[in-house]
Amino acid sequence: SSTLEKRSDAPVMKEMVESDKVMETAPVIVEKQVGETTITFDIAVPYTIPSDAKVQTVEIQRITTPAEYKYVTLPKLSQLAYLTANISDWAKLSLQTGEATLYFENSFVGKSTLNVNQLKDTLTISLGTDNSILVKREKRKDFTSRKVIGSNRTDTYSYLITIRNNKSNTVNITLNDQIPVSSNSSISVDAIELSGGKLNPQTGEVKWDLEIKQQETRQI
């Protein structure tokens, strides 16, 4: 079980095991042994566990590590903006895969799953949604058309994505969308206008890295 906290300077990652209640004092003394295939946390001082059938929590590791904070949104699936924390060199932290309890600015934001079984150099953790950033994706009927010439038919679609930053500071946000990818040789899909987005032709994914100032509305 893991807990991620963010303070004014850097987030704090906590690794925990089951025990009575979260200790409000300093963590117990733990010796960490790193082997070839395992990591062992040996509690150096005996800890009393009452036989009262209650779940207890013993903190075994507390780590402070810097993180880059960025917003991510995919309005095709959800018209919400998600705040993410990106941690570099996370493999050095001896983190464990499991359920994570997330706190942001000393407030509980929900539970997630911490998965360290990945090949990426950066570990991304979602810190929940931010209602101060509004996202909308709508089909533009005036730019939607259908033309038939002989046996060929051409359908044209246009979408407008609007992002509004109601926060008091500038935010960095990654906007994601996707255009269809044809698996039929008789059907071709062409992107007419991507407003500066980067297209992955194999997957059809389109990505924009945007910087939106306070009280600014951006349209794509």
Side-chain angles (χ1 to χ4, degrees), residues 5 7 12-17 21-31 41-47 57-64:
E5 292 183 350
R7 296 179 179 175
V12 176
M13 186 75 68
K14 294 180 181 177
E15 292 292 331
M16 294 184 177
V17 293
K21 60 183 179 179
V22 177
M23 297 184 62
E24 297 179 356
T25 57
V28 295
I29 300 175
V30 176
E31 295 179 356
F41 297 91
D42 295 325
I43 299 179
V45 178
Y47 192 87
T57 300
V58 177
E59 181 177 335
I60 62 172
Q61 183 178 218
R62 180 177 296 190
I63 299 171
T64 300

Side-chain angles (χ1 to χ4, degrees), residues 16 54 67 126 131 182 207:
M16 294 184 177
K54 295 182 180 179
S126 176
N131 295 328
S182 176
K207 179 182 294 186

Side-chain angles (χ1 to χ4, degrees), residues 35-142:
E36 292 295 331
T37 59
T38 60
I39 299 175
T40 303
F41 297 91
D42 295 325
I43 299 179
V45 178
Y47 192 87
T48 301
I49 307 293
S51 57
D52 53 8
K54 295 182 180 179
V55 175
Q56 296 190 342
T57 300
V58 177
E59 181 177 335
I60 62 172
Q61 183 178 218
R62 180 177 296 190
I63 299 171
T64 300
T65 180
E68 177 190 17
Y69 293 91
K70 178 181 289 186
Y71 289 91
V72 176
T73 184
L74 205 170
K76 190 175 184 179
L77 298 180
S78 173
Q79 295 187 359
L80 297 171
Y82 296 83
L83 178 61
T84 61
N86 301 280
I87 302 174
S88 303
D89 296 329
W90 59 270
K92 301 177 181 178
L93 305 179
S94 301
L95 302 177
Q96 308 298 309
T97 295
E99 183 181 79
T101 304
L102 303 177
Y103 295 86
F104 184 68
E105 294 178 339
N106 297 323
S107 298
F108 174 74
V109 297
K111 292 183 178 294
S112 182
T113 299
L114 185 63
N115 180 18
V116 299
N117 298 320
Q118 53 182 290
L119 299 176
K120 298 180 180 179
D121 294 332
T122 301
L123 178 65
T124 300
I125 301 175
S126 176
L127 298 177
T129 61
D130 191 329
N131 295 328
S132 298
I133 300 178
L134 308 179
V135 184
K136 184 178 181 181
R137 183 181 189 270
E138 53 189 334
K139 187 175 181 179
R140 300 202 295 177
K141 296 181 180 180
D142 293 342

